[in-house]
Amino acid sequence: MNVFNKVSTLKEFVNNCKFSKKTIGFVPTMGALHEGHLTLIRQSKKENDITICSIFVNPTQFNNAIDLKHYPIKHTEDKALLEGVECDILFLPSVEEMYPSGIENKNLVGFLFGDIEKQLEGAFRPGHFNGVGIVVSKLFHMVNPDKAYFGLKDLQQFLIIRKMTKELSFGIEVIGVPTVREEDGLAMSSRNLRLTSDERAKAPFIYEVISEMKNKINHSQAPKEVLDWGIQKFQKNTSFHLEYLEIVNTSDLKPVEPYQTPNAYAIVIAAHLGKVRLIDNLLIE
Ligand code: AMP
C-alpha cells in the first residue's frame, strides 16, 4: 500500500489511473479503523480496480473541541489493518494540506442542505454537516472516484452526501453500506474505544431498545406508542442521557405519524454514555 500525504502526489496517481482507465473506489474515514471501515474497503475492492482510503480527522465538522481533542489517532494500527485488506492507497493529509487558508470561518466556503440537516444530528451538532460537506467535496475533487462508500450507521450523513453529490453534479456513485455490529449488537464506532469497561458492558442497551422498537413497528404498533415505550426505557436507565430518539422517514428525516406505506422508515437515536456520544439507527423497509 502506498501512503500519500500530499494532494499533489495523490492527484498525479489519480490522473495515471484515469489515463489507464482504472476505476477508483473511495472510502473516506477519520481513522481508528475497525471492522465497519474494513467492510467498506472490502466492498470497494470488489467493485473497483483501485481503492483509496483517506484518514483525516476533519476539524471543521467538530462543534465540540473536547470531542476533537480526544478523537483516537492510531495511524500505525490503521496502516496494518489497511494492508491486511489490501487497500491500494492511503491518503493521510495534515490539516494544513487540506486547509491551506486555515480553518477560520471566514476562510471557508459554506454549505446549506435545507430541511434534511436541521433535525437530529444537525440540531444537536450545529455546523457539523457544513464541515462534512466541505471536507467530502474537497476529497471528492482530489480523489475523483467512480464510487464512494459510506456507512448507513451515519444515516443522515449518507443522505446529505448523496444529495450534495447529485446537486453539485459530482458524477460519483454514492453507496450506503449496512452497519457492522459487535456480537452483542453495539454498532462499531471509533468512539467505542473511549468507553470504560463498565460503560462498554452497558452500551448494547441502545441496540436492544431500538431492536424491540423495530419489532413493535413490524407488529403494526403506532409510531407514538412505540416511541413512548422507547423513551420510557431510557428514562428508567440512568446510565444514559438520551439526546434524541425518533421514528423518521428516510426521505426527509421528519418524524412519522402515522405510517404511510410504501415509505421507508428509520429508528434513529443519539445518547450519551459517560463522556461518549453514541449514535445508531435501524432501517424499516
Ligand atoms: P468515521 O471514521 O467514523 O468518519 O467513519 C468513516 C466511514 O465509515 C463513514 O462512512 C461511516 O459511516 C462508516 N462507518 C463507521 N462505523 C461503521 C459501522 N459500524 N458499520 C458500517 N460503516 C461504518
Side-chain angles (χ1 to χ4, degrees):
M1 181 177 72
N2 281 316
V3 182
F4 300 149
N5 303 114
K6 297 279 170 219
V7 177
S8 54
T9 328
L10 172 71
K11 280 194 167 169
E12 198 185 323
F13 176 84
V14 167
N15 285 341
N16 285 334
C17 289
K18 300 281 167 189
F19 185 72
S20 48
K21 303 243 176 308
K22 287 191 176 138
T23 57
I24 298 177
F26 178 42
V27 181
T29 81
M30 298 204 298
L33 301 180
H34 50 66
E35 195 52 36
H37 299 111
L38 299 183
T39 302
L40 270 59
I41 306 264
R42 283 193 203 98
Q43 186 164 338
S44 171
K45 290 272 304 171
K46 265 191 219 144
E47 298 175 359
N48 302 278
D49 298 322
I50 297 288
T51 291
I52 301 180
C53 171
S54 65
I55 295 181
F56 180 62
V57 181
N58 174 37
T60 67
Q61 73 188 63
F62 283 81
N63 59 318
N64 178 335
I66 298 169
D67 193 22
L68 173 60
K69 186 169 162 232
H70 292 290
Y71 203 87
I73 305 280
K74 305 182 119 216
H75 290 171
T76 310
E77 292 91 330
D78 287 349
K79 280 180 199 162
L81 288 171
L82 290 172
E83 299 265 12
V85 290
E86 298 179 354
C87 181
D88 300 291
I89 302 292
L90 168 60
F91 180 48
L92 187 62
S94 64
V95 174
E96 294 69 32
E97 187 69 12
M98 285 299 286
Y99 292 100
S101 316
I103 58 165
E104 297 299 313
N105 258 339
K106 63 179 166 42
N107 293 326
L108 297 172
V109 177
F111 280 88
L112 291 173
F113 294 106
D115 280 357
I116 199 166
E117 76 163 324
K118 293 199 181 107
Q119 45 263 331
L120 310 178
E121 292 297 290
F124 286 92
R125 303 180 70 189
H128 170 66
F129 287 118
N130 181 44
V132 170
I134 292 169
V135 79
V136 172
S137 50
K138 273 172 168 287
L139 288 166
F140 277 4
H141 284 301
M142 293 165 186
V143 177
N144 195 5
D146 297 273
K147 295 182 180 170
Y149 298 81
F150 292 86
L152 293 176
K153 172 175 173 277
D154 300 284
L155 181 65
Q156 193 171 11
Q157 168 174 282
F158 166 74
L159 295 171
I160 284 175
I161 288 170
R162 196 174 60 176
K163 178 178 175 178
M164 178 187 83
T165 308
K166 182 167 171 247
E167 297 303 335
L168 295 182
S169 310
F170 272 105
I172 296 166
E173 191 181 340
V174 174
I175 295 170
V177 180
T179 302
V180 180
R181 298 180 179 282
E182 304 285 357
E183 269 185 20
D184 58 14
L186 176 66
M188 289 190 182
S189 165
S190 308
R191 289 187 171 85
N192 295 351
L193 293 170
R194 290 180 51 212
L195 295 169
T196 64
S197 59
D198 182 44
E199 287 162 355
R200 175 62 190 84
K202 290 175 176 162
F205 182 73
I206 292 177
Y207 181 66
E208 280 162 32
V209 173
I210 61 173
S211 298
E212 188 49 34
M213 286 173 72
K214 179 168 177 172
N215 205 9
K216 288 176 186 293
I217 293 171
N218 287 336
H219 285 83
S220 308
Q221 270 195 30
K224 186 174 178 321
E225 246 176 66
V226 178
L227 209 50
D228 286 349
W229 179 87
I231 289 169
Q232 262 194 22
K233 291 294 271 184
F234 277 92
Q235 280 167 348
K236 285 186 201 143
N237 187 335
T238 53
S239 300
F240 290 85
H241 168 69
L242 187 62
E243 216 169 58
Y244 62 76
L245 175 59
E246 303 271 6
I247 302 169
V248 296
N249 260 303
T250 52
S251 52
D252 56 9
L253 296 178
K254 291 198 175 138
V256 172
E257 177 71 68
Y259 302 118
Q260 293 150 327
T261 42
N263 286 359
Y265 308 116
I267 304 166
V268 288
I269 184 165
H272 290 265
L273 177 55
K275 292 188 175 118
V276 185
R277 183 175 185 275
L278 299 170
I279 64 168
D280 202 348
N281 69 75
L282 281 177
L283 293 171
I284 299 148
E285 286 161 310

